[in-house]
Amino acid sequence: MAGKGNAQDQSLLQLEKFDTFYVGNKAGIAAVWGAGKQFPFKYFDELLPSNFLRKIRFTSLELEGAELRWIFTGPKGGVTLVLKNDSISLVQRFYDSYGFIEDPDKPVLPIYPQKNFMVSAKKISQPVKSLTLTYSHDLRLNLLVNDSLAISQISQIDLSRYQLQLIGSDGKFSGKFSGEVFRPAEVPVNIGVDKNKKFQEIVGFGGTTSPVAYNLLSDEGKKMWWQYLGDYNLLLQREYPIGQKLKSDFSNWDDLKRASSHYYGDNFPNGEISDFKYNGTIVKKGGMVTFEFWNLPGWALDDPKNSYKPNYSKYAEAVVNYCKTSQEKGGYLPSIIGIQNEVQQPDSVWQRMTLQLRKSLDSAGFTRIKLHMANAPNLGVGIRALRAFQQQENVWRNIDFTASNLYDFQTYFTNPDKYDSVIDVWNHLNESKEPKPFYSIELCVNKPRYQTGSYKVASLMGELYHKNLVLLNASAINYCWLLVNTVQPSFAESRSLFTIDEKNNFVPAPSSYQLRIFGAFSRHLKAGFKRIQAVSGNKDLLVSAYSYGNKNCIILFNRGISPFQIRLPKDLQVSAQELCSPYLQNQKLSVSSNIIRIAPGTIVTLW
């Protein structure tokens, strides 16, 4: 369901009555502390799922100059629908910042800081018989009056509670309304699995742990960190250290004092150096390390002012030295080397870098280290890179993984499935030669419009993980940062799975909902599992399935607005499940039946 077309789909939904309401003078007047006298409001006893439809059908509606307010509330903001005699409006509100109080010295201030973020209004001339609000997976808030779309907005505010209010005109207590509340009924959905149709083998999940951030953790925090990495199966450490600051004698790979400031927040330093001891622990725990340069140091360029003119032998010598230093200081070798991160080289440069690097690694005895192609900042640009690596047979033969960052998916947040057409172009190219497995090198939320910690935004990233595994056949997925020590919450919430809780003993803590949704995919999908064919009978139930010997794993993601009832196939044996929702952080439950019920916006992982 995408775009404004959602409003047209509501007639196809089966709705069930949830509650009734009456608000008005018959209920009397209540004195409320801090708010004076008012009509008693109607509060609804439910926690909203992240995606929802709620409809109120009126049996009576007499405003008499008063306002009907349908108020939806969440932890950081809310949405209010206001119905007057001749108009209706939809207002998004944020109230999580003291900065929303424009003049803190006013004698009378609001009871809490808040700011109207978006206001849309429409005149109405027909009697209002019903109001419907939908909040779909594509961030679309749709307000329907009498089952016709009236207002559509984009929102990323998490909403959990709602109520009905009647606010009298000019302090007068007049007006009343009553009716019924409806929500979508449960929908049966069939799924099918074919274990004989196998696809990619899973390598793992991970990201980049900043050495600076890791070394800020207390001893207690470091213990917790390794427990987290094991629990969430985040044992791929992705490196791109030093870059331009690497000395020509290679003496500062792991010099913590030379950690460079990055570009998040107020440039609090978070790394671009290595911690070989940390990486060695990753490998001992069954993980692996990948390495690549971003910008090359000036001495590794033929022209220090032109990054498009690397000195190929010095570039390869630096990578070989990194491998040797890893072996000496950490007791491990990186498993995969990337050609270069995000730098858009001419095709011939990438090609020569690949051939020189493979030759130098082999000459040093590092023949088991694999290579992934240069990863572009997004898949659209990556298509050009993929063509470059395919142009020469010997270059393509020496590449073990295709690779790209996937930051362009954010431009499709309001229509996620439109991104599939970009993926189709990539797949067509990859399959035109001997196909290579895909390494999803780097993804997170970095567009300022969406840099919040909301479950709505994290859920869209969940759709990207599904597309990675099912459409791109990804063998490995990296979040951008696993742990980073930025100060501003919006950076940590959107760009890192963990942050440092500096208020409570310097221990790691989930930065936002991003961890639990990434974990719904990573926690039980271990290295060695192979994806198998899985099909869904509903486009809003995203299904992927995996097997490894007699072990099975299936991931069910309800991105719709109706609850689903799913009957598991008999030949897919599972014994446990985990639930991921705004209220459940990968909660483990047993499986007592082959019937699984999934609320909207919830992910269920079975194994």
Side-chain angles (χ1 to χ4, degrees):
M1 302 172 69
K4 297 184 179 180
N6 289 348
Q8 307 305 315
D9 296 332
Q10 310 316 326
S11 61
L12 304 176
L13 289 173
Q14 293 294 318
L15 302 180
E16 62 182 16
K17 186 168 76 171
F18 168 65
D19 206 343
T20 60
F21 57 85
Y22 173 88
V23 180
N25 46 26
K26 187 175 70 175
I29 306 299
V32 178
W33 186 89
K37 294 181 178 181
Q38 59 188 26
F39 289 127
F41 302 156
K42 171 63 179 182
Y43 297 92
F44 295 91
D45 187 20
E46 70 165 332
L47 283 168
L48 288 166
S50 64
N51 309 331
F52 62 84
L53 175 151
R54 292 298 180 267
K55 179 176 185 175
I56 55 178
R57 185 178 295 157
F58 295 104
T59 54
S60 68
L61 177 59
E62 300 174 21
L63 291 180
E64 299 177 14
E67 292 181 2
L68 183 160
R69 296 182 184 176
W70 195 4
I71 300 176
F72 293 81
T73 306
K76 290 189 175 183
V79 171
T80 301
L81 182 159
V82 180
L83 177 65
K84 299 180 180 179
N85 285 328
D86 60 351
S87 67
I88 191 162
S89 60
L90 190 63
V91 181
Q92 294 184 45
R93 301 171 289 119
F94 279 99
Y95 41 70
D96 65 335
S97 173
Y98 178 77
F100 291 149
I101 299 178
E102 295 181 0
D103 183 359
D105 294 323
K106 280 186 177 180
V108 179
L109 292 174
I111 59 174
Y112 57 87
Q114 68 170 306
K115 186 178 183 68
N116 288 347
F117 173 70
M118 191 178 295
V119 180
S120 302
K122 186 172 183 177
K123 293 288 185 179
I124 53 176
S125 57
Q126 301 294 322
V128 176
K129 298 178 180 178
S130 69
L131 298 173
T132 305
L133 189 70
T134 68
Y135 200 4
S136 48
H137 72 104
D138 53 7
L139 306 181
R140 185 76 59 178
L141 268 175
N142 280 340
L143 169 60
L144 288 75
V145 178
N146 299 339
D147 297 325
S148 295
L149 181 64
I151 296 172
S152 185
Q153 295 179 351
I154 298 299
S155 177
Q156 58 201 53
I157 302 173
D158 289 330
L159 303 173
S160 57
R161 298 286 189 179
Y162 65 107
Q163 59 182 285
L164 287 169
Q165 298 182 357
L166 185 65
I167 305 299
S169 174
D170 299 325
K172 297 178 182 177
F173 293 96
S174 60
K176 63 181 180 179
F177 60 89
S178 61
E180 302 169 324
V181 181
F182 295 84
R183 61 186 179 187
E186 190 173 81
V187 175
V189 181
N190 294 321
I191 63 172
V193 172
D194 186 347
K195 298 184 74 171
N196 294 317
K197 291 185 178 180
K198 291 183 170 62
F199 301 91
Q200 79 273 23
E201 182 175 323
I202 300 302
V203 172
F205 298 81
T208 299
T209 297
S210 158
V212 177
Y214 175 74
N215 281 282
L216 283 175
L217 294 173
S218 63
D219 289 344
E220 174 194 5
K222 289 176 180 175
K223 279 185 178 181
M224 290 176 62
W225 180 243
W226 291 111
Q227 182 68 43
Y228 266 129
L229 291 191
D231 287 348
Y232 279 83
N233 188 30
L234 301 174
L235 292 174
L236 304 187
Q237 166 70 358
R238 185 259 183 136
E239 299 262 283
Y240 57 96
I242 296 296
Q244 298 174 80
K245 292 189 175 183
L246 179 64
K247 294 182 179 179
S248 58
D249 64 357
F250 310 118
S251 60
N252 62 325
W253 285 116
D254 56 351
D255 185 352
L256 194 63
K257 295 177 183 178
R258 297 183 68 85
S260 62
S261 296
H262 218 307
Y263 49 85
Y264 304 127
D266 294 326
N267 275 353
F268 203 67
N270 59 22
E272 292 187 27
I273 64 164
S274 283
D275 185 333
F276 294 109
K277 182 179 178 181
Y278 175 93
N279 294 348
T281 305
I282 285 281
V283 174
K284 287 176 184 176
K285 290 182 177 294
M288 72 179 198
V289 175
T290 65
F291 166 82
E292 64 182 325
F293 274 110
W294 188 13
N295 288 324
L296 299 177
W299 55 262
L301 300 169
D302 280 340
D303 179 356
K305 297 181 179 180
N306 188 346
S307 62
Y308 296 150
K309 292 187 176 181
N311 182 298
Y312 299 102
S313 61
K314 289 182 179 180
Y315 155 72
E317 181 187 4
V319 176
V320 168
N321 183 271
Y322 173 85
C323 297
K324 289 179 178 178
T325 308
S326 300
Q327 202 169 41
E328 292 168 3
K329 292 190 173 184
Y332 74 97
L333 283 173
S335 297
I336 303 173
I337 300 290
I339 302 304
Q340 201 167 14
N341 173 67
E342 292 191 338
V343 177
Q344 297 305 295
Q345 300 282 16
D347 295 357
S348 60
V349 172
W350 278 330
Q351 292 157 1
R352 289 189 63 184
M353 290 173 80
T354 301
L355 296 175
Q356 181 66 58
L357 182 58
R358 183 73 270 170
K359 179 182 177 181
S360 297
L361 287 170
D362 290 349
S363 296
F366 300 142
T367 57
R368 297 181 65 182
I369 294 177
K370 297 183 176 181
L371 300 184
H372 73 67
M373 60 174 271
N375 50 290
N378 59 66
L379 197 61
V381 176
I383 289 167
R384 184 224 130 189
L386 182 56
R387 289 193 178 101
F389 281 85
Q390 289 182 329
Q391 283 173 2
Q392 296 184 16
E393 287 294 335
N394 57 341
V395 173
W396 186 243
R397 187 170 59 250
N398 282 295
I399 289 296
D400 300 287
F401 293 88
T402 61
S404 184
N405 302 350
L406 299 175
Y407 288 116
D408 49 346
F409 179 67
Q410 294 164 88
T411 63
Y412 296 86
F413 269 9
T414 58
N415 192 353
D417 289 343
K418 193 174 180 182
Y419 192 58
D420 296 359
S421 61
V422 184
I423 293 174
D424 287 343
V425 176
W426 174 279
N427 286 340
H428 179 73
L429 272 174
N430 187 35
E431 292 163 6
S432 67
K433 298 278 188 180
E434 180 186 351
K436 307 282 186 179
F438 179 65
Y439 196 152
S440 188
I441 292 289
E442 186 180 326
L443 44 78
C444 73
V445 179
N446 66 356
K447 286 182 75 68
R449 171 68 173 84
Y450 301 120
Q451 282 192 281
T452 65
S454 78
Y455 188 87
K456 296 293 290 189
V457 169
S459 289
L460 280 162
M461 293 301 290
E463 292 194 44
L464 179 57
Y465 310 145
H466 173 84
K467 293 179 188 298
N468 265 277
L469 292 164
V470 173
L471 301 183
L472 280 161
N473 290 316
S475 292
I477 303 177
N478 284 345
Y479 205 80
C480 179
W481 294 99
L482 294 185
L483 181 70
V484 71
N485 51 304
T486 55
V487 177
Q488 286 88 344
S490 63
F491 287 104
E493 289 171 348
S494 57
R495 306 203 69 159
S496 180
L497 295 183
F498 293 89
T499 187
I500 299 175
D501 189 347
E502 297 176 351
K503 301 184 293 295
N504 293 290
N505 306 326
F506 289 83
V507 299
S511 65
S512 68
Y513 294 111
Q514 293 287 352
L515 174 66
R516 69 182 63 182
I517 289 183
F518 197 71
F521 292 84
S522 72
R523 281 168 60 83
H524 301 287
L525 199 46
K526 308 289 186 178
F529 271 81
K530 286 190 175 181
R531 187 171 68 86
I532 59 177
Q533 181 72 52
V535 294
S536 169
N538 188 299
K539 63 183 176 65
D540 284 329
L541 178 66
L542 307 182
V543 180
S544 62
Y546 312 83
S547 68
Y548 183 36
N550 61 356
K551 298 178 181 178
N552 299 306
C553 178
I554 185 165
I555 302 171
L556 307 171
F557 184 0
N558 180 357
R559 70 172 190 178
I561 56 176
S562 297
F564 290 150
Q565 180 193 102
I566 299 130
R567 184 180 298 274
L568 297 177
K570 292 181 180 179
D571 60 345
L572 194 68
Q573 298 299 312
V574 293
S575 60
Q577 61 177 316
E578 280 186 355
L579 276 62
C580 169
S581 78
Y583 314 107
L584 300 173
Q585 182 175 332
N586 312 110
Q587 183 189 50
K588 182 177 178 181
L589 301 169
S590 62
V591 176
S592 57
S593 166
N594 68 335
I595 301 295
I596 301 295
R597 290 179 165 83
I598 307 181
T602 297
I603 306 175
V604 175
T605 307
L606 301 116
W607 73 99

